[in-house]
Amino acid sequence: MRMNLKRRLAPCAPPGVDLGQELSWLACGGIVSLLYSFQFFIRYAKHYEQLFLWDGISRVLDTSAVMPDFVDILGGSLSGFQVLALSMVALAVYHYAYHFQGSKSIYLMKRLPDRWELLRRCITLPLLGALACLCASALVLLTYYAIYMTFTPPACLAPGQWQRIWSLLPGVPV
Amino acid sequence: MIEIESVTKSYGLKRALEGVSLTLPKGQIVGLFGENGAGKTTLMKCILGFTRFSGKITLDGEPISHKNIDRVSFATSEHSFFPNLTATAHKEFYQMHFPRFSEKRFNALMDFFELPRHSPLRQFSTGQKNQFEVIMALCQGADYILMDEPFAGNDVFNREDFYKVLLGILEPFETVLLATHLLEEVQSFIGRAILIHQGKIVGDVSTLELDEAGKKLMDYVRETYNYRPDRVGKALSDLTSEK
């Protein structure tokens, strides 16, 4: 499958670039970002505990307690994905700089009849990488939201959680 | 025909080319000579559109753009191949982008120079890299083949082989513009010599004219550059004479 992916992506990358290594780095970045996002669970567990009072040895829900908003608990949990998406700019720069390594293959790329070939080979993978980061962070966001809504006692939920998620997007008033 | 009209190019305050005008008709082997920094490489980069310049360069009356760039190929001592790709992968890449790529010529030249087809080019020796660079320029299917010091680093036997092959395989409509310092080596197979000095064309002569005048290319170059043969003797005498 990996070989198949490499073969499919090869026309979208600078000729001869180590695609396997780039995909590995991208996968590592994704895993690290995912692990970093697990801080959501630590925050959530802490706030979840505060919803309960101890009556002797039994735990009782404090109905007057309100769970902090999902977006507040989420905090910067997804910033790993954002950093990874931003690092795709560096990957595009690396792809361009690759044409100066060991030779000046930039001369060949610049004189190809297809004027978009150089641009396509420099930015396609970074764009796909950024898109993958966006999709992964959206998936993680939805998963964490589902966990938040499922496990938080309804009595402690503040209304309008879904609307507040949109405040994560810059420029969207809530 | 490539027509170069009043091309001027500056790098900051330094004038690399100044009012260069010349034509390159089909079917010529042209030597471009000049000292280091004379503007040979810059002129080629202007023709290929790698750098901005003032003036006009046309190919059969049309500006050189992505529409007709496949008619011009380029071999440079800086190399323009992909070091991680094999020769075969290069062939496939060229075939994908240059419809007139000559596989027959490629196979013949690869066999002649005994270059490995399945090793990445980074494993080639400098001489082999130069050979491969020139092979790709010759096989692209271009009418105008620009070569910038293509034999830098090759031994004399290697170069001689190449001159012979070049003369043998070129079609009558193919033009080669060859920038080199190796005047005496190439004088027997070029048809025209262009001299460039400090960004200006200072000489443009056919080898036929030189033959008729009974001159050698080196003499013409010396004359054009106002070379003073007594210069070395005078300098040595100045350095060694007692006060």
Side-chain angles (χ1 to χ4, degrees), chain A residues 40 44 47-48 50-52 61-73 144-165:
Chain A
F40 166 83
Y44 181 78
H47 289 294
Y48 185 82
Q50 288 169 358
L51 298 178
F52 295 90
L61 180 68
D62 179 2
T63 48
S64 65
V66 179
M67 187 71 163
D69 287 341
F70 171 72
V71 288
D72 293 333
I73 295 177
Y144 289 175
Y145 181 72
I147 290 168
Y148 176 88
M149 295 303 285
T150 308
F151 292 99
T152 308
C156 306
L157 268 177
Q161 292 301 316
W162 180 249
Q163 284 77 9
R164 285 194 186 115
I165 286 179

Side-chain angles (χ1 to χ4, degrees), chain A residues 14-18 98-99 101-115 117 120-121, chain B residues 45 48 50 66 69-70 72-74 76 78-85 90 93-94 96-98 140:
Chain A
V17 84
D18 192 345
Y98 171 83
H99 297 95
Q101 290 171 10
S103 74
K104 289 274 188 79
S105 53
I106 190 75
Y107 290 154
L108 174 57
M109 296 304 286
K110 278 188 172 177
R111 60 182 188 80
L112 293 177
D114 181 356
R115 68 162 111 172
E117 185 73 10
R120 182 164 52 240
R121 287 188 181 257
Chain B
K45 286 182 179 174
L48 290 156
F50 291 165
H66 67 280
I69 191 73
D70 61 328
V72 187
S73 67
F74 184 46
T76 165
E78 292 180 284
H79 302 145
S80 59
F81 49 69
F82 302 101
N84 294 336
L85 288 191
H90 274 89
F93 184 81
Y94 268 72
M96 197 161 58
H97 291 282
F98 300 105
Q140 185 187 304

Side-chain angles (χ1 to χ4, degrees), chain B residues 33 183 195 216-226:
Chain B
F33 307 108
L183 268 117
L195 307 190
K216 285 195 165 184
L217 180 58
M218 190 52 108
D219 299 330
Y220 174 73
V221 171
R222 283 190 176 125
E223 271 174 31
T224 312
Y225 281 111
N226 295 318

Side-chain angles (χ1 to χ4, degrees), chain B residues 143-160:
Chain B
D143 299 325
Y144 296 88
I145 301 158
L146 312 185
M147 296 189 189
D148 186 17
E149 298 284 358
F151 312 114
N154 284 55
D155 61 62
V156 66
F157 305 110
N158 221 307
R159 295 198 298 264
E160 236 170 63

Side-chain angles (χ1 to χ4, degrees), chain B residues 59-78:
Chain B
L59 170 55
D60 292 342
E62 296 289 323
I64 298 178
S65 68
H66 67 280
K67 288 176 187 160
N68 56 4
I69 191 73
D70 61 328
R71 292 184 58 201
V72 187
S73 67
F74 184 46
T76 165
S77 55
E78 292 180 284

Side-chain angles (χ1 to χ4, degrees), chain B residues 131-147:
Chain B
Q131 286 165 347
F132 187 77
E133 178 77 11
V134 178
I135 287 173
M136 296 318 280
L138 288 172
C139 297
Q140 185 187 304
D143 299 325
Y144 296 88
I145 301 158
L146 312 185
M147 296 189 189

